[in-house]
Amino acid sequence: MYSYMDNNTALYLERRTNYGANQSFPERLSDYYEAFSRFWKPEQVQNYRNFFGKNKSSTSSAENIPPYLVWQSAIEAKNVSDSIFLPINLHDKTQLVAYFVLYFYEPYPWPPANDTRRLIVYIDGERKNITTVPRTELSDDCAVVSVYPVNVTGTANVTISPAEGTTLPPILNAMEVFTTIDFSKADLLPHFYSIFCVCPYLFGVAVWFN
C-alpha cells in the first residue's frame, strides 16, 4: 500500500476522512471490512450534497485496499459546473512534503448509463490529475488518485472540478492526507555515551544523553 513510499520514508497521518457519512457511522470498522485497522473519520460538509448509498461490492482490489463501506458515502457538488473545495489544515506550519490519496466511486442510486463523471484534481491551484469515475455496473472498485510529492505549507487547498465532457457534478468519497518524514536525513537518536563496568560479581551499564 501507499506505493510511492520507500523504506526511508515514514508517513504522518494528517487526516483520513470518510466523506458524506454522519457521526453515527463508526470510525473504527470491524476487521472484516478493514483488515488494516485504519480509522476513517466520518464527516459531512456543508454546502455540498452529503449522501449515503449502497455498494454491490464487498471486497476491494483498488490501490491501498480501501474498505468498501467507505465508498458508499460521498459529498457531491450541487451543480455540474460547481467545484468541491476542501482546505486541509496541517499539523505543522512550516513547509512539508505531502501525500494525497483521493477515492471516487458511484454510490447507489447509480446515475443513468449515458451519464459520465469526469473530474480534475487541483492542489493549491495546481492541476494534479484528471480521472473518470468508473461505471458501477462495469466495475466493483473505486477510482484512486494518488499525488506525491506535493510541497505544502500550513494549509493545503484541495479542489475537485468538473472536467470537459462530464454530465455529473464532482464527487468525493474519501481522502487520506499524509506528510512525510525522511528517516535517511533525520537525526532520530540523541548522542549518548556509555561506560561498561565489569567485575567478577557485577556487570553494569551507565548511559547518559547530551
Side-chain angles (χ1 to χ4, degrees), residues 8 10 12 25 31 34 42 45 57 63 79 94-96 103 111 130 145 152 169 172 191 193 198-200:
N8 291 322
Y12 180 95
F25 195 79
D31 292 340
E34 173 51 277
V45 185
S57 177
E63 181 182 345
N79 301 296
T94 62
Q95 188 175 74
L96 301 167
Y103 300 91
I130 183 169
V145 172
V152 293
L172 177 63
H191 299 290
Y193 301 93
V198 181
C199 70

Side-chain angles (χ1 to χ4, degrees), residues 102-152:
L102 297 90
Y103 300 91
F104 303 98
Y105 185 79
E106 292 284 4
Y108 181 86
W110 303 307
N114 59 342
D115 276 327
T116 301
R117 200 185 302 266
R118 299 187 72 235
L119 313 170
I120 306 173
V121 176
Y122 297 89
I123 300 176
D124 287 340
E126 183 177 346
R127 177 171 163 169
K128 297 296 185 180
N129 186 277
I130 183 169
T131 191
T132 299
V133 181
R135 298 293 314 176
T136 304
E137 62 269 25
L138 301 177
S139 173
D140 286 342
D141 260 326
C142 60
V144 181
V145 172
S146 294
V147 185
Y148 175 83
V150 183
N151 293 320
V152 293

Side-chain angles (χ1 to χ4, degrees), residues 26 35 47 77 92 118 134 180 197:
N47 301 323
D92 193 329
R118 299 187 72 235
T180 63
C197 304

Side-chain angles (χ1 to χ4, degrees), residues 26-77:
E27 289 187 30
R28 172 72 167 89
L29 301 174
S30 72
D31 292 340
Y32 176 79
Y33 300 111
E34 173 51 277
F36 303 99
S37 300
R38 293 171 293 189
F39 286 73
W40 298 81
K41 182 180 178 181
E43 183 175 322
Q44 295 194 327
V45 185
Q46 292 183 354
N47 301 323
Y48 302 115
R49 180 184 172 221
N50 296 266
F51 60 93
F52 196 88
K54 280 185 176 181
N55 297 325
K56 67 175 183 178
S57 177
S58 60
T59 59
S60 174
S61 59
E63 181 182 345
N64 307 327
I65 317 178
Y68 83 91
L69 285 179
V70 169
W71 311 350
Q72 64 187 18
S73 62
I75 55 174
E76 182 185 54

